[in-house]
Amino acid sequence: MNIRDAKYECMPREELEQLQLERLQATLNRAYKNVTFYRKMFHKSNVIPEDMQALSGLAKLPLTTQEDLRVNYPYGMFAVPLREVVRVHSSSGTTEKPVVVGYTRNDIKVWTNLVARVMTAAGVTRDDMVQITFSYGLYTGAFGFHYGAEAIGASVIPTGTGNTEKQIMIMQDYKTTALVSTPTYAITLAERMEKLGVNPKGLSLRVGLFGGEPLSEALRSEIETRLGISATDNYGLSEIIGPGVAGECEYKCGMHIFEDAFIPEIVDPLSGKQLPAGSTGELVLTTLTKEAFPMIRYRTGDITSLVYTPCNCGRTIARMAKTMGRSDDMLIIKGVNVFPSQIGAVLTAVVGAEAQYEIVVDRKGAQDLLEVHIEAAEGIFFDEMKRQKAFLEMVEKKIRSVIGVGAAVKLVAPNTIPRHERTTGRVVDKRMI
Ligand SMILES: [Zn+2]
């Protein structure tokens, strides 16, 4: 069992919550004193940091959005003077200006240890040779893993991105044992190895840490089979710290969130209201240890759910499920929040990862109608009416049990659904509002 900071990762919940409350109070005080945005936010909500006498009080504060960070670009959200900042990174902003984040010397130390904890949970030890294929630059990924691996005592091979053949040569010659990459790049490496006649199983590679894009179960098993490694998922974002927020242990049953450093909440993406434990909704994170760039109730935009039962690995900290898409993708059907990825997951389970489908939402009178069109393919009995009917009924039942509303599932002729790049499902919302 590999646990780097058992004291924090296996704490009884009561003690953990006490620690969280103390750290939360310190964070709120720092933010209130030093960040105009947060001071205004407190005033607007009629709360002062001293009022925060229980963790439940956090829900009284408003949420912080990426738009708030943009408005305060570049340094408006910093809680320390720039002379105390030893590093800046930026987030991968999709539009306009990216968010600038800063770290004090202590922030770097804390961040390094958090990533070391993610890597340890994934099975990396001081004996590993860690090849990092993320981009070394403004993004947090490469530097986060670089420092984390060094803190464990592993050897880092900072190859950066690209030059796939050289990456493979290095893997062979330097005897890389751990790969840090995006899932897509792992597949690119496997494909190139096949072309070059390199047998991945003849390499020293044994473990992979994947980030930057979703690692679906189908993708995980493809990577594990083709590269002959154990593939683990982890979660992080620059606005919060970078990698090091959560990571899977060897049981791969959700990503352990380091709750001694972050408070996770799940909120309804529409109302912003906190949802009860176990609900699926948008992940909101509050940082507890950051000096330069504290974040209070930051909306990540990622849809997930939390589990608080202890894991077989011994950790007592919460686990987050794989992110199921972005809150912007949410559909409201008959008043129920539905994520297209939930339907996608059902179809992957019953039809396979290659299933081409389309989700069509329409409105008849005041009634929302949900249809799921699946393209006929091998294994879906297009010409046997009885079996086809039974199959469609089974899929309808599964979808209803997952999303909570009924959908009419129909088969459509092959190659009639427009293809999207890298995704198999698409959503057509015909409701005019
Ligand atoms: Zn675990």
Side-chain angles (χ1 to χ4, degrees), residues 313-328:
C313 68
R315 289 177 179 84
T316 53
I317 46 178
R319 282 170 282 154
M320 62 180 273
K322 271 182 195 316
T323 55
M324 304 198 313
R326 303 279 302 165
S327 55
D328 312 340

Side-chain angles (χ1 to χ4, degrees), residues 69 96 190 212 245 290 327:
L69 307 192
E96 297 163 31
V245 176
K290 276 172 79 193
S327 55

Side-chain angles (χ1 to χ4, degrees), residues 386-424:
K386 214 170 139 191
R387 285 177 72 190
Q388 189 191 113
K389 194 164 167 266
F391 169 77
L392 294 178
E393 279 172 7
M394 180 269 289
V395 179
E396 282 177 1
K397 213 169 135 192
K398 286 217 159 114
I399 289 178
R400 177 188 280 278
S401 77
V402 170
I403 65 173
V405 280
V409 179
K410 294 180 175 167
L411 276 190
V412 297
N415 298 315
T416 51
I417 295 174
R419 301 303 199 249
H420 270 214
E421 209 187 329
R422 289 199 48 76
T423 58
T424 55

Side-chain angles (χ1 to χ4, degrees), residues 53-124:
Q53 294 304 323
L55 289 175
S56 56
L58 191 57
K60 290 193 194 120
L61 294 175
L63 300 166
T64 304
T65 64
Q66 195 175 53
E67 186 51 32
D68 295 327
L69 307 192
R70 287 224 177 85
V71 169
N72 289 286
Y73 176 88
Y75 298 135
M77 300 296 277
F78 282 29
V80 297
L82 278 179
R83 66 173 178 278
E84 287 179 35
V85 171
V86 300
R87 178 105 62 85
V88 292
H89 279 288
S90 77
S91 74
S92 43
T94 43
T95 51
E96 297 163 31
K97 294 202 165 151
V99 171
V100 180
V101 298
Y103 302 77
T104 62
R105 194 170 300 284
N106 193 52
D107 286 336
I108 294 283
K109 222 170 97 187
V110 168
W111 180 29
T112 296
N113 191 49
L114 287 167
V115 184
R117 282 162 69 174
V118 164
M119 299 185 82
T120 303
V124 175

